[in-house]
Amino acid sequence: MPDPRAESEWFDRPDPTGETDTAERGLRFTCTQCGNCCSGPPGYVGFTPEEGRAIARTLGVTETEFLERFTRDTPEGRSIKDLRKAGSRSWDCVFLDRTPDGRALCTIYDARPAQCRTWPFWSSVLLSPRTWKGAGTTCPGMNTGTLHPPQTIRVTRDRVDI
Ligand code: SF4
């Protein structure tokens, strides 16, 4: 059945933010590995039980050990921990590793939760050109790189409820 939202959302039309190519439908995004989305104030990174088991396997630990060592309780549910960087007000995801040349690498990349996989195509970010533009102020990967067609964006957005 055709998606009833097709052609009707702001990113179905060219130049939604005034900052992308005027002839394009969809949105551009390619991660630059700056790490901004994996650091900052303490946050919430949720995961399903299946995702938790996949991360545990990647780490070579039991599910119980993964939960005890790498996650914490939050009002939203269990979250991956973040750690305060020495001498900084910023917090990093416990699985974020920074290389000497300044890149930020996810050490569980292939097992990362859907919340991380689907950024920046979250409902809260895609609400309007304004919310998309606001998120782009901290994510240099937005409005550049790969062009994602509207229907692909919708499928990605539907994977999580954020
Ligand atoms: S903020 Fe954007 S560009 Fe930077 S690591 Fe996160 S997704 Fe990639």
Side-chain angles (χ1 to χ4, degrees):
M1 196 164 84
D3 190 330
R5 300 164 299 182
E7 309 293 329
S8 64
E9 301 194 77
W10 64 269
F11 48 84
D12 280 297
R13 295 181 285 278
D15 193 28
T17 66
E19 294 175 357
T20 60
D21 188 301
T22 53
E24 293 178 329
R25 299 169 63 246
L27 296 165
R28 285 191 180 268
F29 169 69
T30 295
C31 177
T32 66
Q33 298 184 312
C34 73
N36 286 354
C37 61
C38 320
S39 64
Y44 170 75
V45 180
F47 56 92
T48 64
E50 191 178 323
E51 289 171 339
R53 285 191 286 276
I55 297 170
R57 277 196 301 276
T58 296
L59 297 171
V61 300
T62 64
E63 192 179 350
T64 303
E65 188 178 354
F66 159 67
L67 292 172
E68 286 175 352
R69 286 180 55 193
F70 299 106
T71 72
R72 64 185 171 89
D73 268 329
T74 76
E76 271 78 41
R78 209 76 191 161
S79 170
I80 291 174
K81 272 185 187 169
D82 33 26
L83 303 174
R84 193 166 193 166
K85 291 192 292 184
S88 163
R89 287 189 178 175
S90 181
W91 297 67
D92 276 359
C93 173
V94 68
F95 297 125
L96 181 67
D97 190 23
R98 293 186 186 276
T99 64
D101 64 356
R103 283 178 305 138
L105 301 180
C106 174
T107 57
I108 58 158
Y109 190 79
D110 289 340
R112 68 199 189 286
Q115 178 174 332
C116 308
R117 289 178 190 274
T118 55
W119 171 264
F121 301 122
W122 295 353
S123 304
S124 55
V125 175
L126 292 169
L127 277 178
S128 68
R130 191 172 63 83
T131 54
W132 175 263
K133 193 172 177 180
T137 59
T138 57
C139 175
M142 292 167 66
N143 297 319
T144 187
T146 302
L147 177 64
H148 299 260
Q151 191 54 24
T152 304
I153 293 170
R154 274 186 276 277
V155 169
T156 304
R157 177 181 60 187
D158 290 347
R159 288 186 60 196
V160 289
D161 183 21
I162 309 174

